[in-house]
């Protein structure tokens, strides 16, 4: 079966094609600035499974039908334009930064070392350029994409198709579902979203940019109840 994530009307994400599912933690430095990802437990492989989208399941990250009792409104509101048509660009001497702000999941890797925009503007310095690229590649939603000045090539991390359940150990909240490796995502009405290398899908149920995450999980202190992650 082909790999796909299907958004259901006011219900879960239906995942098909034996897509691996694991856990990923945002790790910060002493000042609380995110600096790296750590990957943990792999869930047992399944050909098909349903992931909670309403935030109410007692069996997170999987759906247990709670969306029905909660009368969950999962209306999709995200723009259907290609991401580059929604973007602004920061111009630097050796590097440009493509910024699709509506996709921001507030992972905050872009805050390190003066921020990705400033580093891009000083990308004639090798260290600044390397850090800007790393920060952009660490952005799980793909809001930020570094682009080589000379070739115009977008710089993307290499991912195989997989989904990570994000936990933010700095903010002590549970984050989005991080879909990687160009997994096709189909809207409830059958629309095919642009296939992208990395996207973040809302799992707290409160994003105003569904099906994508908009960082609301931080505001509402969303917690999926996984005590093993010490949040």
């Amino acid at each position: 079966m082909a790999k796909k994530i299907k958004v259901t009307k006011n219900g879960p994400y239906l995942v098909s094609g034996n897509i691996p599912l694991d856990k990923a933690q945002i790790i910060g430095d002493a000042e609380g600035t995110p600096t790296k990802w750590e990957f943990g437990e792999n869930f047992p492989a399944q050909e098909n499974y349903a992931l909670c989208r309403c935030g109410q399941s007692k069996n997170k990250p999987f759906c247990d039908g709670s969306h029905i009792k909660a009368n969950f409104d999962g209306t999709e509101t995200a723009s259907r334009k290609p991401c580059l048509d929604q973007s602004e660009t920061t111009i630097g001497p050796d590097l440009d930064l493509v910024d699709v702000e509506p996709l921001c999941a507030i992972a905050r890797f872009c805050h390190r070392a003066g921020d990705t925009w400033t580093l891009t503007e000083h990308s004639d310095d090798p260290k600044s350029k390397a850090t800007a690229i790393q920060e952009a590649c660490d952005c799980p939603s793909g809001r930020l994409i570094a682009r080589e000045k000379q070739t115009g090539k977008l710089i993307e991390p290499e991912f195989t198709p997989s989904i990570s359940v994000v936990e933010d150990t700095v903010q002590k909240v549970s984050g989005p579902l991080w879909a990687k490796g160009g997994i096709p995502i189909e809207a409830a009405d059958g629309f095919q979203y642009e296939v992208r290398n990395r996207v973040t899908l809302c799992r707290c149920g409160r994003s105003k940019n569904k099906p994508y995450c908009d960082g609301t999980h931080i505001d509402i202190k969303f917690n999926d109840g996984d005590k093993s992650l010490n949040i």
Side-chain angles (χ1 to χ4, degrees), residues 76-122:
E76 294 164 73
T77 55
S79 171
R80 294 183 169 188
K81 295 179 181 179
C83 69
L84 292 181
D85 290 350
Q86 304 176 57
S87 68
E88 297 182 353
T89 303
T90 297
I91 306 298
D94 282 0
L95 194 72
D96 294 337
L97 183 68
V98 178
D99 182 356
V100 192
E101 186 174 2
L103 297 178
C104 186
I106 314 184
R108 310 176 313 286
F109 288 96
C110 55
H111 294 182
R112 183 165 60 94
D115 78 53
T116 315
W117 297 266
T118 301
L119 292 166
T120 298
E121 291 171 344
H122 294 87

Side-chain angles (χ1 to χ4, degrees), residues 134-190:
Q134 184 61 57
E135 290 183 6
C137 287
D138 279 338
C139 173
S141 69
R143 169 189 171 172
L144 299 179
I145 310 171
R147 183 170 63 198
E148 282 287 355
K149 191 77 170 181
Q150 289 187 340
T151 65
K153 180 183 178 181
L154 297 174
I155 302 171
E156 284 279 2
E158 292 187 11
F159 292 128
T160 56
S162 62
I163 300 172
S164 290
V165 180
V166 173
E167 302 289 344
D168 188 337
T169 65
V170 178
Q171 290 289 330
K172 300 189 182 302
V173 296
S174 299
L177 296 167
W178 182 14
K180 295 164 286 186
I183 302 170
I185 299 172
E186 181 181 319
D189 65 1

